[in-house]
């Protein structure tokens, strides 16, 4: 069988650029080069696309862009399934069997890149345009999941500081602490846990630096749990994990340092509760139209009620990240996970024109 050529996108015009480099490095370390030809595309912080064919350690060290590079883009001709690489005095077409975006946050996980790939006709390893955009939008994702009968946190949306003054009396009815967060951002960027009302205006201004819409959201008592999901029709559900916090909340620093928190995989819950969480994750995944893979994050209250938090359509992919860890809990190695995702992406190429 001929080796498939897989394009790996990394970096990106996003506040989560550095997270993408770590994830992509880990994925590239674990891909089977006997099965796949790998074509690496680095996207700089200002959004320029380049073909990178150097040592993957330079991705981890963020020195990849210092190499001599050729610009690359995706061919808009859906009959070609190709990338266009610009050489010094000519260009070449490079046939690609599938594109695997290892990008996080805006301009990578929000449907923008997925739309570009869909227009090219190249199979996408990941969620479609619609589900990527929906899952990035916390407010609209909450509305859909709530309509499906799953509890979501009470919240209010602000589009300006003027909105804050108009709705102030409404969200002050929510009990402290409150969370102020951008509607569309990942890795907990721009989020503040507000414990005193005099902190709220500063938190709102901070969140507005990441997005033009923000949420004022109630605090959910309990702890966060997550479930890895793979598939489109027949779904594979990973073990459920649990985030134990000793202080604060699971912000960007905690996610990548675990200084005052701990992730338990599997979660310290009984099998019946774990099964309910997995079933709820499956319902959320389907309600939001997810395909190939995603991580569904929820809260478990002291009364064992499950409350939806968010879906990450391109979760962290380092060897110690939650998504691969939950699937390793049901017997998948990192290499198995990547093989399965590529197989699913190739087999569901017709889903991405939706």
């Amino acid at each position: 069988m001929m080796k498939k050529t897989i394009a790996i996108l990394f970096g990106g015009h996003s506040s989560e650029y550095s997270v993408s480099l770590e994830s992509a490095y880990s994925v590239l370390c674990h891909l089977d080069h006997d099965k796949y030809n790998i074509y690496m595309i680095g996207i700089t912080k200002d959004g320029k696309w380049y073909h990178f064919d150097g040592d993957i350690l330079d991705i981890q060290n963020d020195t990849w862009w210092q190499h001599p590079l050729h610009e690359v883009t995706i061919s808009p001709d859906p009959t070609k399934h190709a990338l266009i690489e610009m050489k010094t005095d000519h260009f070449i077409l490079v046939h690609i069997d599938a594109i695997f975006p290892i990008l996080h946050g805006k301009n990578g996980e929000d449907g923008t890149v997925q739309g570009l790939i869909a227009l090219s006709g190249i199979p996408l390893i990941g969620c479609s345009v619609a589900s990527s955009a929906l899952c990035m939008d916390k407010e609209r994702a909450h509305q859909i999941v709530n309509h499906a009968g799953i509890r979501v946190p009470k919240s209010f949306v602000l589009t300006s500081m003027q909105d804050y003054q108009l709705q102030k009396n409404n969200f002050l009815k929510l009990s402290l602490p409150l969370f102020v967060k951008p509607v569309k951002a990942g890795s907990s960027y721009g989020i503040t846990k507000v414990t005193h009302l005099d902190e709220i205006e500063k938190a709102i201004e901070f969140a507005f630096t990441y997005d033009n819409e923000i949420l004022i959201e109630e605090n959910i008592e309990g702890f966060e749990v997550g479930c890895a999901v793979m598939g489109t029709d027949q779904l594979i559900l990973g073990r459920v994990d649990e985030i134990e916090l000793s202080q604060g909340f699971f912000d960007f620093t905690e996610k990548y340092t675990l200084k005052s928190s701990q992730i338990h995989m599997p979660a310290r819950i009984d099998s019946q509760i774990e099964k309910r969480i997995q079933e709820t994750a499956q319902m959320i995944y389907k309600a939001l139209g997810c395909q190939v893979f995603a991580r569904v994050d929820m809260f478990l209250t002291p009364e064992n009620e499950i409350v939806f938090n968010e879906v990450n359509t391109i979760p962290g992919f380092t060897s110690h990240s939650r998504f691969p860890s939950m699937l390793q809990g049901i017997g998948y190695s990192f290499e198995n996970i990547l093989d399965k995702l590529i197989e699913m992406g190739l087999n569901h190429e017709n889903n991405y024109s939706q």
Side-chain angles (χ1 to χ4, degrees):
M1 184 180 295
M2 288 184 62
K3 291 165 70 172
K4 299 291 186 182
T5 300
I6 309 298
I8 303 291
L9 304 187
F10 66 86
H13 183 44
S14 163
S15 55
E16 296 177 67
Y17 170 90
S18 60
V19 182
S20 169
L21 298 189
E22 290 291 336
S23 289
Y25 172 74
S26 188
V27 166
L28 290 163
C29 285
H30 290 90
L31 276 171
D32 187 342
H33 290 258
D34 290 331
K35 292 182 181 178
Y36 313 110
N37 294 313
I38 308 300
Y39 187 98
M40 297 180 286
I41 300 175
I43 305 174
T44 64
K45 291 179 181 178
D46 54 359
K48 295 177 181 177
W49 290 39
Y50 293 104
H51 175 210
F52 174 69
D53 60 0
D55 191 327
I56 62 173
L57 276 171
D58 291 332
I59 296 175
Q60 186 183 45
N61 298 330
D62 193 17
T63 55
W64 67 271
W65 51 270
Q66 297 176 5
H67 291 246
L69 301 168
H70 292 120
E71 290 187 12
V72 65
T73 188
I74 298 177
S75 169
D77 184 344
T79 66
K80 294 281 195 300
H81 281 212
L83 300 172
I84 304 171
E85 183 174 340
M86 318 298 178
K87 299 293 188 180
T88 304
D89 56 358
H90 66 288
F91 68 86
I92 61 170
L93 289 179
V94 181
H95 175 80
I96 298 293
D97 292 295
I99 297 179
F100 193 174
I102 311 295
L103 305 169
H104 303 302
K106 285 187 178 181
N107 302 310
E109 198 175 353
D110 58 2
T112 50
V113 165
Q114 289 75 13
L116 182 61
I117 296 168
L119 290 174
S120 76
I122 301 172
L124 166 68
I125 300 166
C127 286
S128 67
V129 178
S131 60
S132 298
L134 269 177
C135 291
M136 178 59 71
D137 190 316
K138 297 178 180 67
E139 168 62 11
R140 289 159 184 84
H142 280 195
Q143 290 178 13
I144 290 170
V145 171
N146 188 43
H147 185 71
I150 297 163
R151 181 184 161 190
V152 302
K154 294 176 185 175
S155 64
F156 297 91
V157 178
L158 304 181
T159 57
S160 66
M161 287 303 293
Q162 185 178 5
D163 260 3
Y164 162 67
Q165 297 298 334
L166 293 172
Q167 295 197 55
K168 190 173 182 179
N169 291 334
N170 287 330
F171 64 72
L172 289 182
K173 295 174 185 176
L174 300 177
S175 300
L176 291 171
L178 296 171
F179 283 92
V180 179
K181 57 177 70 174
V183 168
K184 299 178 288 294
S187 285
S188 297
Y189 277 107
I191 298 180
T192 304
K193 184 177 183 179
V194 174
T195 55
H196 298 92
L197 286 178
D198 58 3
E199 303 168 346
I200 199 160
E201 288 195 31
K202 185 177 179 181
I204 290 170
E205 290 171 358
F206 177 55
F208 271 129
T209 64
Y210 287 90
D211 194 19
N212 59 1
E213 291 184 301
I214 68 166
L215 283 177
I216 311 290
E217 189 174 276
E218 72 169 331
N219 177 60
I220 301 296
E221 293 296 329
F223 54 87
E224 188 172 338
V225 292
C227 183
V229 185
M230 289 197 299
T232 300
D233 300 317
Q234 298 297 317
L235 301 184
I236 298 166
L237 304 173
R239 295 297 304 270
V240 171
D241 74 357
E242 167 199 346
I243 298 170
E244 180 188 10
L245 295 174
S246 60
Q247 61 186 44
F249 70 102
F250 207 49
D251 61 8
F252 178 83
T253 301
E254 276 305 312
K255 284 185 176 181
Y256 299 105
T257 65
L258 299 177
K259 286 182 178 178
S260 63
S261 59
Q262 188 173 352
I263 297 175
H264 298 277
M265 213 310 296
R268 299 171 298 174
I269 54 179
D270 68 42
S271 59
Q272 288 303 309
I273 295 173
E274 179 173 34
K275 185 178 179 183
R276 282 204 298 118
I277 292 170
Q278 289 171 320
E279 289 171 348
T280 304
Q282 180 171 271
M283 290 172 61
I284 293 167
Y285 186 91
K286 289 183 175 180
L288 294 172
C290 297
Q291 298 174 146
V292 184
F293 72 101
R295 192 190 75 229
V296 182
D297 294 339
M298 297 151 282
F299 299 105
L300 184 67
T301 72
E303 298 75 35
N304 291 329
E305 185 178 10
I306 299 164
V307 183
F308 173 54
N309 182 19
E310 63 180 358
V311 172
N312 283 269
T313 53
I314 308 180
F317 257 105
T318 68
S319 55
H320 56 271
S321 291
R322 296 172 64 199
F323 182 86
S325 177
M326 287 186 273
L327 289 166
Q328 285 162 358
I330 60 168
Y332 282 82
S333 68
F334 204 120
E335 291 80 4
N336 295 152
I337 294 167
L338 296 176
D339 285 345
K340 196 71 177 173
L341 295 181
I342 291 170
E343 176 190 340
M344 289 174 176
L346 289 168
N347 289 338
H348 291 93
E349 60 182 281
N350 294 324
N351 290 337
Y352 302 114
S353 60
Q354 297 174 4

